[in-house]
Amino acid sequence: MTSQVPVTVLTGFLGAGKTTLLNRILTEQHGKKYAVIVNEFGETGIDNDLVVNADEEVFEMNNGCICCTVRGDLIRILGGLMKRADRFDAILVETTGLADPAPVAQTFFVDAEVAEKTRLDAIVTIVDAHHLGTQLEESHEAAEQLAFADLVLLNKIDLVDTESLSRVEARIRAMNPYARIIPAERCGAPLDTVLGQNAFDLQRVLEIEPHFLEDDHAHEHDDAVTSISLHADTALDPEKFQAWFGRLLQENGQDILRSKGILDIEGEPDRYVIQGVHMLMEGDFIGPWPDGEARRSRLVFIGRGLDGMGLAEGFAACKAT
Amino acid sequence: MQSDLSPARRPREGFRPTQLEAKGRRVDTGAHVTAAVALGETVVTAHGDGALRFFTGDSPPRTVAAHRGAVLAMAATGGEAVVTGGDDGRFLRVSVDGTVEDLAGFAGAWVDCVASHKATGLLACSVGRAVHVWRQGATSPEMFGHPSTVGGLAFDPSGKRLAVAHYGGATIWERGGRRWKSTKLVWAGSHIGVTWSTNGKYVVTVMQENALHGWRLRDKANMQMAGYPAKPRALDWAGDAPHLVTSGADEAICWPFDLKEGPMGRSPLCVAGGGKQLATMVRALPGHPSVLAGFQDGAVLMSELDEFAEARVLRGSTGVEVTAIAVTDSLSHVLIGDANGTVLWAPLRTGGENAWPV
């Protein structure tokens, strides 16, 4: 068996600095070989043997699941790259500034061959610290890209003062409490803080403590995308939880962009870790609860219109009695 | 992906090596075998390092450096040659004697699919959403556009029509005098491969969602051939009462096209099972109602097209996915290629004791 090649998805608005980062990755001496999949009509204009053009064609699976919109071109290109004799250490997928990142992420969940040979490493969103405010007001794609991010490369911080910078950070944090924010000038962050993040590994969900526990966040009602953190100190009934969570994703999967959680399931010694993109969810029991630590379930949702979904009540009703 | 609270377990079993393997030649090329086709008594393999390798009789294989990246597609064509498409954007004709001819180049793009029709000399390749078609002797191709990237190409048995698979269905291009006219076959989803029935009356596509979709051309009636646990990527036609043989399950799934209604309302024949592994490649035994099926664990089984037939193990489990199978026209040799670039070239016609019953 060959190991899975990690794939980093790079999103961000036009001019945020995607090309700068890609050029660094392709030209810096790091001893690794990256293939870069760029969008056909993109702004990158990078000429390199390792660059493949994609057309960002999405299609809906014919199974009636509205959230199963995936990138067929990505399935084709990743399949082709896997056949090459000179295999790659990692692959980067650049999306246009106006692209919805969901179909890219969903491709890794939905296609069995893609899932077998590659793994989604992280969704990296590059943000222009100076222009984020305007972009969030002008288009919903900017919010969507932030909501999906595992890592936000907050670029061009040299163009804003300290006060604006903390305002921008707070705004990102309110929409996405678990993304790591890396401030940078001219995309100058060390590459190993951006690539090889393993963010979709369920193990990593366990490490997202810092902002995870912050109760109920400061809602910013002007942003359509918000987040909600829930917790419970009583063990959960597995059947009740499955039923509630399944129904929730089925009914609101369109609006729940991402979800992550560490759960205490009644009668199980191990932690149950879940994470999802829209209605696609994966979960597994990963390791026992640490000695001396309270068995506390935590669940985070990022999405639109979360307030109307009765999340807190639904989750509370899953407690084992 | 599922939210089951209990992890799934799958037992692994394997087949031991066979006599046929012991008598064969094993070549480790180190480059994924992307395709294999027979040209009479020669079998040509295409690889992830851009090379083609020619296997004939007892001699060691001859290597021809053709593409600069991976060979993505290959088809046999007239004049003891194959046409190939690569991720270097080139469409080539490579002859048994090793001559490499550049048919076309598309800088910065991939040539994903190729097709050839021997009797008419028609050649076709796809680059993104476009299909380029060459008539025999023509220096420049005709170009057909499609709504999305092309997933598969196939000429019908007469060479008058070309089927093109893409998102939302397939397009049939029909040659009438000097012009080609197109007809749409509509079915939602992504279609990633296409084939014609041997009588030219049906078109069948491979779908992203682990299914085949077929159309009866006379009335565009839809046929859904679903229920696969994986994508039925490999297709071939076997037997005189033809069956469409497919991969994508733990045995070879063979849809009957012998009656007027094709496979409508009928169940497929399932043969060459028993390995509890997914079939990744299937091939008809030339001139016989038999199929060879290659599996994810490297095993290759052969079976007659008969639900009571006993399958035989041609090659035992190796742990590496079978990606290509081809048999010479006289059935003298079988070639088995895998994802690690290992090729087995073995004498096939040396008696039944070569292979184990399953």
Side-chain angles (χ1 to χ4, degrees):
Chain A
M1 281 303 290
T2 42
S3 56
Q4 294 164 306
V5 178
V7 180
T8 301
V9 176
L10 206 56
T11 72
F13 259 55
L14 183 69
K18 281 180 292 178
T19 309
T20 313
L21 184 67
L22 284 177
N23 270 322
R24 280 191 56 208
I25 290 166
L26 286 168
T27 55
E28 272 181 23
Q29 296 291 323
H30 39 57
K32 290 209 169 135
K33 189 165 182 182
Y34 295 103
V36 178
I37 301 172
V38 298
N39 66 81
E40 190 179 18
F41 304 107
E43 53 269 12
T44 49
I46 299 169
D47 191 20
N48 188 298
D49 280 351
L50 301 174
V51 173
V52 186
N53 284 299
D55 33 31
E56 301 207 329
E57 293 173 333
V58 300
F59 71 93
E60 268 177 37
M61 296 285 285
N62 203 9
N63 58 7
C65 167
I66 40 173
C67 281
C68 291
T69 304
V70 300
R71 288 264 307 264
D73 60 328
L74 210 51
I75 298 172
R76 176 179 62 87
I77 292 167
L78 291 172
L81 288 176
M82 290 305 109
K83 291 175 183 169
R84 284 183 62 136
D86 48 345
R87 293 282 294 266
F88 304 99
D89 295 300
I91 296 170
L92 280 107
V93 180
E94 180 227 12
T95 69
T96 47
L98 291 167
D100 172 6
V104 182
Q106 285 167 182
T107 302
F108 291 83
F109 287 73
V110 166
D111 189 84
E113 290 164 29
V114 166
E116 188 192 328
K117 287 169 181 150
T118 62
R119 60 174 177 79
L120 190 50
D121 182 71
I123 297 173
V124 176
T125 300
I126 306 187
V127 166
D128 179 335
H130 188 51
H131 289 115
L132 181 69
T134 330
Q135 284 164 348
L136 282 173
E137 273 155 36
E138 284 172 358
S139 81
H140 70 92
E141 285 90 354
E144 214 116 296
Q145 290 176 356
L146 275 176
F148 270 96
D150 297 292
L151 197 148
V152 175
L153 190 65
L154 187 52
N155 197 28
K156 308 194 182 181
I157 53 166
D158 47 325
L159 301 183
V160 292
D161 56 38
T162 329
E163 197 187 320
S164 324
L165 187 62
S166 37
R167 223 176 20 243
V168 168
E169 283 195 49
R171 189 132 192 221
I172 296 170
R173 198 48 80 203
M175 295 164 73
N176 185 335
Y178 65 75
R180 213 145 51 78
I181 300 177
I182 299 181
E185 293 174 26
R186 285 178 286 278
C187 288
L191 290 182
D192 60 8
T193 62
V194 179
L195 304 173
Q197 295 304 298
N198 232 352
F200 277 80
D201 186 338
L202 288 173
Q203 290 279 2
R204 282 297 304 268
V205 176
L206 299 171
E207 296 168 22
I208 53 177
E209 298 297 325
H211 303 280
F212 209 82
L213 273 173
E214 285 175 9
D215 254 347
D216 259 1
H217 60 283
H219 255 53
E220 287 207 21
H221 286 282
D222 55 327
D223 287 326
V225 173
T226 55
S227 67
I228 284 183
S229 320
L230 304 168
H231 57 84
D233 292 313
T234 319
L236 304 175
D237 179 307
E239 275 166 30
K240 285 185 194 163
F241 179 78
Q242 281 245 60
W244 169 70
F245 200 69
R247 200 172 53 243
L248 179 70
L249 292 187
Q250 212 176 3
E251 288 168 3
N252 298 298
Q254 285 276 62
D255 294 324
I256 294 173
L257 304 177
R258 288 192 74 170
S259 52
K260 292 195 182 199
I262 303 167
L263 306 172
D264 175 18
I265 303 291
E266 194 186 35
E268 295 288 345
D270 289 353
R271 298 170 291 192
Y272 191 67
V273 182
I274 57 168
Q275 75 159 321
V277 171
H278 282 308
M279 31 171 101
L280 303 169
M281 204 273 281
E282 66 178 337
D284 205 353
F285 287 102
I286 293 188
W289 291 88
D291 282 341
E293 190 188 296
R295 292 174 58 127
R296 176 177 238 215
S297 298
R298 287 147 278 170
L299 191 55
V300 172
F301 293 98
I302 297 178
R304 299 173 187 286
L306 297 178
D307 287 344
M309 295 179 196
L311 294 172
E313 299 81 357
F315 184 61
C318 296
K319 289 176 188 168
T321 44
Chain B
M1 198 76 38
Q2 53 185 1
S3 60
D4 241 6
L5 288 175
S6 56
R9 305 230 181 279
R10 196 211 268 171
R12 287 188 76 87
E13 291 167 32
F15 294 109
R16 62 201 164 100
T18 63
Q19 286 285 324
L20 185 135
E21 276 178 80
K23 288 180 187 166
R25 178 193 290 274
R26 208 184 102 132
V27 182
D28 291 316
T29 68
H32 188 115
V33 183
T34 59
V37 297
L39 296 174
E41 291 310 294
T42 299
V43 170
V44 190
T45 55
H47 296 261
D49 61 356
L52 300 188
R53 292 178 172 86
F54 294 80
F55 293 79
T56 314
D58 296 328
S59 21
R62 231 158 17 89
T63 303
V64 175
H67 290 274
R68 283 184 287 268
V71 186
L72 298 173
M74 175 166 69
T77 183
E80 296 266 281
V82 291
V83 286
T84 58
D87 66 9
D88 57 354
R90 294 196 302 155
F91 180 44
L92 306 177
R93 188 205 313 267
V94 184
S95 307
V96 171
D97 65 14
T99 315
V100 178
E101 182 191 346
D102 259 287
L103 296 173
F106 306 89
W110 288 12
V111 178
D112 292 300
C113 309
V114 303
S116 156
H117 188 263
K118 283 187 194 172
T120 58
L122 282 165
L123 297 176
C125 74
S126 74
V127 179
R129 300 173 190 202
V131 171
H132 304 265
V133 178
W134 283 260
R135 295 183 194 224
Q136 191 154 35
T139 47
S140 59
E142 292 165 90
M143 194 182 96
F144 306 153
H146 302 91
S148 63
T149 297
V150 172
L153 278 183
F155 284 108
D156 80 339
S158 72
K160 289 198 173 111
R161 291 171 296 176
L162 175 68
V164 180
H166 44 71
Y167 285 0
T171 302
I172 306 297
W173 295 90
E174 184 162 10
R175 192 160 50 114
R178 291 166 154 261
R179 310 267 309 253
W180 293 79
K181 65 177 182 27
S182 68
T183 314
K184 290 250 180 296
L185 299 173
V186 179
W187 191 258
S190 169
H191 300 254
I192 56 176
V194 66
T195 186
W196 290 83
S197 63
T198 49
N199 62 9
K201 291 181 177 171
Y202 297 91
V203 165
V204 179
T205 58
V206 179
M207 295 202 64
Q208 168 69 27
E209 36 272 276
N210 301 350
L212 297 174
H213 192 82
W215 290 270
R216 182 169 59 199
L217 293 174
R218 175 165 56 81
D219 53 3
K220 292 191 184 177
N222 288 289
M223 302 185 288
Q224 292 180 59
M225 293 174 261
Y228 289 90
K231 275 179 257 184
R233 273 193 187 276
L235 306 174
D236 204 2
W237 292 87
D240 288 332
H243 280 71
L244 174 61
V245 185
T246 73
S247 64
D250 59 2
E251 48 198 344
I253 307 298
C254 314
W255 298 90
F257 278 75
D258 49 344
L259 301 179
K260 209 175 167 190
E261 295 298 301
M264 287 179 183
R266 297 167 72 191
S267 307
L269 188 64
C270 304
V271 299
K276 295 180 184 151
Q277 293 276 331
L278 272 184
T280 50
M281 178 48 62
V282 289
R283 272 282 189 258
L285 190 67
H288 292 261
S290 293
V291 300
L292 288 83
F295 293 84
Q296 208 161 28
D297 70 342
V300 175
L301 307 187
M302 184 160 89
S303 171
E304 286 173 46
L305 273 178
D306 175 346
E307 62 178 310
F308 301 111
E310 189 179 273
R312 298 187 84 82
V313 183
L314 290 190
R315 207 267 294 268
S317 308
T318 59
V320 184
E321 175 188 337
V322 175
T323 56
I325 298 175
V327 176
T328 57
D329 285 359
S330 71
L331 313 186
S332 67
H333 287 79
V334 59
L335 181 142
I336 299 163
D338 72 23
N340 282 1
T342 303
V343 176
L344 174 73
W345 171 245
L348 187 60
R349 266 216 160 143
T350 46
E353 78 279 7
N354 272 333
W356 313 119
V358 168

